[in-house]
Amino acid sequence: PLPRQRQLCIRARLSQHIRSTRPRQPDPHAHWHRQIARHPPHSCRSWPKASLHTSGHSCQAPGTTETKRVRATVGGDRINCPGDVSTKTAGLTTAKLLINSTLSTPGAMMMCMDIKDFYLNTPMSRYEYMKIPVDIIPATIMAQYKLDALTHNGSVYVEIRKGMYGLPQAGRLANDELVKHLASHGYIQDDHTHGLFTHSTCTIAFC
């Protein structure tokens, strides 16, 4: 038999040859990647806390109609929320095991998806409060909601009744609602592996 080092050298050369001779598949997202490189989507960056920001750039794919995005962010560092606001999510090991299980199971299929605006509009049993300086609120918003009459010392005071960006408890509230919704459709979270859901009657699993 060949020495171990010689075997590894031959395997490396074979792998390199296979990669170099294998025809490359066209990237279906090449145009989108070039657009991101040329025009970074500034609205994807994190905004200052307790602010309202309007950006001329969008995170949407080319061809969509959205041209501007407005985000309000709560100053979460100034909120004292009682109780545990942490959310136990699936770890990297869980995701890797699920992917490997799919690859090693004949006929198995996998898909990936993202829940857009996951932290937004979750009902809150305990309301929070915030003040927004009027100088960062667009004039059209001030006029549409007649905020001039509600202005006090240069700010508008708001009551937060649903989840939004910046709330320390936003992730916990959204996750609790998600677990409850999935349970009503037969998807139960594993008792020992956080973020891993399996169906009660079929073989569907996700994390």
Side-chain angles (χ1 to χ4, degrees):
L2 294 175
R4 177 64 176 172
Q5 186 177 3
R6 179 64 174 170
Q7 293 180 13
L8 294 177
C9 181
I10 294 176
R11 290 180 182 177
R13 291 183 178 179
L14 286 175
S15 299
Q16 185 178 7
H17 174 73
I18 293 174
R19 289 195 300 268
S20 62
T21 57
R22 181 182 299 167
R24 293 187 176 182
Q25 298 296 328
D27 183 4
H29 306 292
H31 173 73
W32 177 224
H33 294 161
R34 288 194 298 269
Q35 292 297 323
I36 292 179
R38 294 173 183 173
H39 308 288
H42 298 287
S43 59
C44 292
R45 301 174 183 173
S46 58
W47 306 119
K49 295 180 178 178
S51 65
L52 191 68
H53 189 94
T54 304
S55 172
H57 295 275
S58 173
C59 296
Q60 298 292 106
T64 57
T65 57
E66 183 183 8
T67 58
K68 292 185 180 295
R69 175 172 295 185
V70 178
R71 283 184 176 177
T73 304
V74 183
D77 56 331
R78 301 184 180 183
I79 293 180
N80 183 18
C81 184
D84 184 15
V85 297
S86 63
T87 304
K88 293 179 171 37
T89 58
L92 183 59
T93 302
T94 303
K96 287 182 176 180
L97 289 174
L98 188 59
I99 294 174
N100 287 333
S101 175
T102 305
L103 294 174
S104 60
T105 303
M109 295 181 292
M110 173 173 278
M111 65 171 293
C112 296
M113 63 180 295
D114 181 29
I115 303 178
K116 184 181 179 182
D117 300 335
F118 180 58
Y119 283 15
L120 302 181
N121 293 324
T122 307
M124 299 169 55
S125 58
R126 179 181 180 272
Y127 299 157
E128 300 287 356
Y129 299 88
M130 176 178 67
K131 71 174 183 179
I132 306 176
V134 295
D135 57 357
I136 65 173
I137 302 178
T140 53
I141 300 297
M142 293 289 294
Q144 181 178 353
Y145 295 97
K146 301 179 176 59
L147 297 181
D148 288 326
L150 304 176
T151 302
H152 178 70
N153 293 334
S155 298
V156 175
Y157 292 80
V158 298
E159 183 179 67
I160 304 172
R161 299 187 176 187
K162 293 186 177 182
M164 61 182 297
Y165 296 115
L167 286 175
Q169 66 271 39
R172 179 62 179 266
L173 294 173
N175 185 75
D176 291 346
E177 283 292 317
L178 177 64
V179 172
K180 183 170 61 177
H181 177 76
L182 291 173
S184 65
H185 294 275
Y187 295 96
I188 308 300
Q189 185 170 209
D190 189 82
D191 294 333
H192 305 287
T193 306
H194 299 293
L196 177 63
F197 291 83
T198 56
H199 198 269
S200 56
T201 60
C202 64
T203 58
I204 297 178
F206 61 88
C207 67

